[in-house]
Structures are given as structure tokens and as C-alpha cells.
Amino acid sequence: MSEDSTQPTETLFSVKNRKLLTNPLGPENPINVQVLGICSVLAITVQLQTSLVMAISVVAVMGFANVIISLLRKGIPPRIRIIVQLTVIASLVILVDQLLKAFVYDISRQLSVFVGLIITNCIIMGRLEAFALHNKPWPSFLDGIGNAAGYGWVLLAVGFFRELFGSGTLMGYQAIPGFMYDIGYENNGFMILPPMALITVGIIIWVQRYKDRRLIDIS
Amino acid sequence: MEELVSIFVRSIFIDNMVFAYFLGMCSYLAVSRTVNTSVGLGFAVIFVLGITVPINYLLENFILGRGALVWLAPRFAEVDLSFLTFIMFIAIIAAMVQLVEMIIEKFSPTLYSSLGIFLPLIAVNCAILGGSLFMQERNFANIAEAASFGLGSGVGWFLAIVGIAAIREKIRYSNVPPPLRGLGITFIITGLMGIAFMSFMGIEL
């Protein structure tokens, strides 16, 4: 690849590499802008804790999957690349699943099938196809971590609002002080139900696009 | 028989893939611009779910589960291969999608040309893998129950995507606030449809 030879002295955290890490957090966010990997955002965000564990799992799987595919990129025949990618992702997800079962069993029960569904999370496949197959391991790693972090913050934001308003707690600790309940405040049980996850994400998208007019869908 | 109908109806309305578990949202949002394409994708999903769930049921019960290999030799009674579940399920799904694609191409070129581009997409649709993983979690008694669960989930997904596509075709003429156009409003409509579907929740079958 010509790209490999033309930039031999690029530093680890050059501007270009930092862009890879920071762009997915805002203007190229995988969830709000590219619309990838929505399923898990919605299903496991009832509590902040499960969201956090899920975000960390996705960061780990995505960083390593990008590096592995990037290392193998010259050896993978294009016709069977999808099955190779799925195999790499599935192996990493099995590792994550076993680790979760071993160390945080309760949370792994709550996440149930959604750990397995990281395999079909379209962000991972999408970034492998679009980036890791054509780039060197280090930029691929940054790209993977960046995109997974972009996914993670939306997950945490949705989890934060749903747990705060739905159960009045954060990470399992009481967040709304007791006197609020005395003067008539009540938890909104609706926030715990599935449809409110969709509406919360809809509102996050609304706010983000209101702030950044370039993202508005003109079609 | 009653049991089968009950599982079928439950998985369409009460445990709807999209509204209760948010599975297959990526293609749900991306392909729901027009009713025609969403009908095509919906049928493909019904088809693939109806095939892969029973196959993975057999795989789970005769190869992967704890003691499932007993039919081979009694000394395998303690063998537990369930850690291989993910990789085996996804391999079966990818293979089946490929196979289904080839079969349709051979026997029904018209259906193939209308489903064509969607079939490969389905291998990475979370609804398909999700269907198999839920099947594993619920311990169905026999393969017929697993199959009716697979078909029912597919039909539920079909209803959801055709519904949202129809609404999106209409909403094109509405005056939605600009930042909410496209993705945002689709999310909110899906949420409202989910609330509507929740009214099925109390139904006991």
C-alpha cells in the first residue's frame, strides 16, 4: 500500500490520529448520525450500571477486532471477508461473555442475550469494513476505540436519564433526596419501559442536531 | 397445537422483536423509507428466522448443551460446549443466509430480484441472532415450538417495519421541526408505536 510508505514518521498522536478518536464522539457519532448499533442502546439502558458494563465490553471488543482485522487485512480474501470478520468478533465476544460471567455474574444475567448481540452490532462490522480493512493497526485501534466511545457516551446518557427519572437512583444509589418524595415527587415508572428508551434517544438526537445544524436531514 | 398458536401469537404481539426488545433496529431504521422495500425485507426476515431458529434449536439440543452429546456415546454426558454458542449460531446463520439466497436465486428469480440486496444484510441483523439466543434462553419443549417462535418473531418484525414505513411515507408531508427530521422523528414514532403495542401486554393466552 502506498499509504504505508508515504507516512513513515507519523507520530502516535498526530492530529490525524486524534481526529480518528474524537470525530465519532460528535459529528460522526455512530448512533446519532450514522444510525448504527441501535438495538443494544435501547434494551439495556434501564440502569446506568448495565450501560457502563455494556459500553466497556463494546470498547474492548471493537478495539481488538479492529486491530486483528487490520493485521490480517492483506491475507483475507475479499469474497469471504464477512465470515472472517464475524469469526473474529464472535471469538472476542465469547471472551467478554466468559469474563462477565466470571466476575460480574449478576450484571451478566441482566444483560442476557445482549452480550451475544454485540456480534451483530452493526457499528463493529461497519468500522471493520470501512476502516480496518484498509488501514494500519494503530489508526484502526484508535478508530475502533473512538467509535465505541461515541457509542458508549450515548449509552451512558440514555442510561443516566432513564435510571434517574425512572427509579430515582444512579448506579444503584439513591440520587433523588428523600425530602423530594415527601413533598410529592414520584418516580416516573414510564421511563423504565422499553418505548421511553426510543423517545429518549429521539430527544438526544433532537438536541444534538439543534446545536449542530450541519447534521440536519434535508432529504 | 394450542401451545404452538399461543407461542406464535405471543411472539408477534407481546414479545415483539422491535417494540419489546429493540432487535433489528439498524435495518428497521435504514430500510423503512418506502413500504415496498420494507415488505421485501420483512419477508426475508420471516423466512430466515423461520429456518434458522429450528436449526439452531437442533444444534443446541444435540451438540452444544450440557450432556447433549449423549446420543453419540454415554461418556459425553458431562461435556458442556455451551461457550461455543455464539460462534456456532452466527456460523449457521451466515451459512443459511447464503444457502437461502442461492435457493431463491435458482427457483424464483423474481423474488430474488426483489429481495436481492436485503438477503446478505440479514446475516448481521440482530433480530436473527436474537431470535436464536432467546430460543436458547426459553428452553422450548420441542422443535415445533421453536419453529413457531421463529416464525412469530419474524411476522412481528414484518408488521413493525411495514407500519413504520407507511407512517414515514405519510409524514413526509408534515411540518416536522428541522432538527427532528429523519432520524429523530422516526425514533419518537417508534416509541409511540411501542406504547401502542404495550396494550397487548396484559393479554393472557
Side-chain angles (χ1 to χ4, degrees):
Chain A
M1 275 193 184
S2 60
E3 205 186 7
D4 290 3
S5 53
T6 48
Q7 302 169 324
T9 55
E10 195 177 345
T11 52
L12 284 186
F13 286 102
S14 63
V15 177
K16 200 171 126 217
N17 281 347
R18 259 179 298 164
K19 272 247 156 62
L20 291 175
L21 204 54
T22 53
N23 261 354
L25 295 179
E28 284 170 27
N29 189 284
I31 291 173
N32 298 351
V33 183
Q34 302 175 44
V35 209
L36 296 174
I38 312 285
C39 324
S40 47
V41 179
L42 306 164
I44 48 111
T45 48
V46 177
Q47 289 169 350
L48 195 53
Q49 204 174 15
T50 47
S51 320
L52 187 65
V53 171
M54 187 70 178
I56 295 171
S57 312
V58 172
V59 170
V61 170
M62 205 154 157
F64 287 115
N66 261 9
V67 170
I68 293 173
I69 290 294
S70 168
L71 287 171
L72 294 174
R73 69 183 187 278
K74 285 172 191 155
I76 301 175
R79 285 189 67 87
I80 59 157
R81 67 182 193 285
I82 291 190
I83 197 98
V84 174
Q85 290 162 0
L86 280 177
T87 317
V88 169
I89 301 170
S91 319
L92 288 166
V93 171
I94 290 177
L95 283 180
V96 167
D97 185 47
Q98 299 286 324
L99 284 174
L100 289 182
K101 276 191 181 136
F103 294 106
V104 281
Y105 188 72
D106 293 337
I107 295 179
S108 132
R109 295 289 337 149
Q110 281 176 29
L111 289 174
S112 76
V113 301
F114 290 96
V115 180
L117 288 175
I118 298 177
I119 299 173
T120 48
N121 191 322
C122 352
I123 304 177
I124 303 186
M125 280 296 275
R127 292 324 292 174
L128 290 181
E129 279 279 299
F131 199 89
L133 274 178
H134 318 287
N135 286 284
K136 286 190 283 182
W138 175 247
S140 306
F141 180 70
L142 290 180
D143 182 75
I145 298 284
N147 275 283
Y151 165 87
W153 83 252
V154 179
L155 208 64
L156 290 177
V158 178
F160 176 82
F161 287 116
R162 285 184 77 192
E163 189 176 353
L164 184 64
F165 294 119
S167 342
T169 55
L170 283 177
M171 302 291 282
Y173 298 104
Q174 194 63 34
I176 308 256
F179 68 85
M180 293 281 283
Y181 291 99
D182 295 337
I183 57 173
Y185 177 83
E186 282 200 33
N187 288 330
N188 183 355
F190 214 48
M191 289 300 280
I192 303 177
L193 298 172
M196 280 314 284
L198 289 161
I199 295 178
T200 314
V201 175
I203 291 171
I204 291 179
I205 291 172
W206 190 3
V207 173
Q208 195 193 13
R209 296 200 174 174
Y210 185 76
K211 298 231 181 250
D212 191 346
R213 292 263 163 184
R214 282 170 304 161
L215 298 176
I216 290 176
D217 195 343
I218 29 175
S219 62
Chain B
M1 194 60 214
E2 227 169 83
E3 186 67 11
L4 294 185
V5 176
S6 155
I7 290 177
F8 186 70
V9 176
R10 266 195 78 87
S11 50
I12 295 179
F13 292 109
I14 304 168
D15 296 333
N16 187 290
M17 278 281 179
V18 174
F19 299 124
Y21 299 111
F22 313 113
L23 296 179
M25 289 297 285
C26 310
S27 24
Y28 171 85
L29 292 169
V31 189
S32 60
R33 282 180 200 277
T34 61
V35 172
N36 280 343
T37 49
S38 62
V39 167
L41 185 67
F43 273 120
V45 167
I46 297 181
F47 205 62
V48 175
L49 260 177
I51 292 174
T52 55
V53 172
I55 290 182
N56 282 338
Y57 179 84
L58 292 179
L59 198 68
E60 163 77 14
N61 281 283
F62 289 101
I63 296 178
L64 293 173
R66 187 179 182 78
L69 281 171
V70 175
W71 59 274
L72 212 59
R75 69 197 153 89
F76 289 137
E78 283 301 301
V79 176
D80 185 359
L81 294 177
S82 53
F83 65 92
L84 286 176
T85 308
F86 296 154
I87 208 162
M88 291 299 281
F89 280 8
I90 198 74
I92 290 286
I93 289 168
M96 286 316 296
V97 169
Q98 196 81 55
L99 199 66
V100 166
E101 194 181 346
M102 289 192 298
I103 293 173
I104 295 181
E105 188 177 12
K106 175 90 176 122
F107 290 104
S108 171
T110 42
L111 182 64
Y112 180 76
S113 57
S114 59
L115 290 185
I117 42 166
F118 299 125
L119 275 170
L121 267 182
I122 285 179
V124 287
N125 184 327
C126 0
I128 310 289
L129 183 61
S132 290
L133 293 176
F134 275 123
M135 174 275 297
Q136 187 193 27
E137 210 168 59
R138 285 184 202 169
N139 298 319
F140 288 116
N142 54 47
I143 189 170
E145 289 187 5
S148 77
F149 170 73
L151 279 177
S153 309
V155 174
W157 201 87
F158 174 86
L159 280 183
I161 195 171
V162 174
I164 192 78
I167 294 178
R168 282 182 83 173
E169 281 194 357
K170 286 277 174 209
I171 213 164
R172 206 162 294 151
Y173 306 105
S174 314
N175 188 13
V176 179
L180 209 49
R181 267 178 210 162
L183 192 55
I185 195 71
T186 313
F187 267 104
I188 292 177
I189 293 171
T190 311
L192 296 176
M193 285 170 78
I195 294 173
F197 262 71
M198 272 169 56
S199 56
F200 292 113
M201 229 177 225
I203 299 174
E204 282 291 330
L205 283 169

